[in-house]
Amino acid sequence: MSANALPPLRLFLDRSTQGRRFTDAVRLLVEDVETINDRYGTKPAETVPDTEWIVDASFDGRILIGADRNIVRNPLERHAICLCAARYVVFGNNNMTMRAMTQFFERHLPEIHRLATVPGPWVHRLALHGLDRLTLDCFGWGPRAVAGVSEADARFPEFS
């Protein structure tokens, strides 16, 4: 891989994106796509806790794609995102038609692909103009904190 080449994009589509047409469209654009149904089976996927798929798919190196912004507000789910350094791209509106979701995703796919090089934890919202990084308060829960490095030291190593 050349210095400018991006790593392969590996995506995980959560249950909030489980429209078959959306999944099929994403698979035409990205080679390595796993859905929550692929991983757990259709019936079990309906009840698998968000914390479980966040951790499992993140440890597999996948960028999570969803439409549930409440995940970053839920303390347990936010903790899972922080602890396993998840990378989550969320649609700003989960009431979009599948066609609109697909068009929106395709339009912003180059930006999502560039994010594959950015270590987590992070959450970006798909907005009309591009991707907005959302505030993710990890309360010292991130993987750096577990390794003994504070979030502040990780963000500003020149002051450590």
Side-chain angles (χ1 to χ4, degrees):
M1 181 164 51
S2 73
N4 294 332
L6 294 173
L9 190 55
R10 303 183 71 224
L11 300 180
F12 180 86
L13 306 182
D14 82 7
R15 72 175 64 86
S16 64
T17 62
Q18 273 304 299
R20 186 72 192 166
R21 290 184 313 185
F22 180 74
T23 300
D24 291 345
V26 171
R27 284 189 164 133
L28 290 174
L29 299 167
V30 178
E31 187 175 319
D32 190 350
V33 176
E34 180 181 49
T35 69
I36 195 167
N37 290 348
D38 295 338
R39 180 175 285 259
Y40 301 103
T42 303
K43 192 68 174 166
E46 295 173 11
T47 59
V48 67
D50 289 342
T51 52
E52 186 173 334
W53 63 256
I54 289 167
V55 170
D56 291 348
S58 295
F59 283 156
D60 283 348
R62 295 186 180 278
I63 292 178
L64 315 174
I65 306 292
D68 182 5
R69 286 183 50 197
N70 287 325
I71 283 178
V72 296
R73 293 183 189 106
N74 178 300
L76 290 175
E77 294 162 3
R78 190 174 64 245
H79 184 240
I81 289 170
C82 293
L83 206 58
C84 65
R87 301 170 301 159
Y88 187 60
V89 175
V90 62
F91 285 90
N93 178 347
N94 65 356
N95 293 321
M96 299 172 79
T97 66
M98 282 301 136
R99 182 176 180 183
M101 249 174 116
T102 301
Q103 290 172 341
F104 213 60
F105 178 83
E106 185 172 6
R107 182 180 331 136
H108 298 298
L109 184 57
E111 291 173 88
I112 294 169
H113 198 171
R114 283 189 291 278
L115 285 173
T117 64
V118 179
W122 51 254
V123 177
H124 284 265
R125 177 178 57 94
L126 281 164
L128 285 174
H129 61 275
L131 292 172
D132 289 331
R133 187 162 185 166
L134 298 181
T135 300
L136 181 64
D137 191 350
C138 286
F139 303 111
W141 292 336
R144 294 176 192 96
V146 172
V149 177
S150 75
E151 292 296 314
D153 289 344
R155 276 190 295 242
F156 306 106
E158 62 274 15
F159 299 113
S160 300

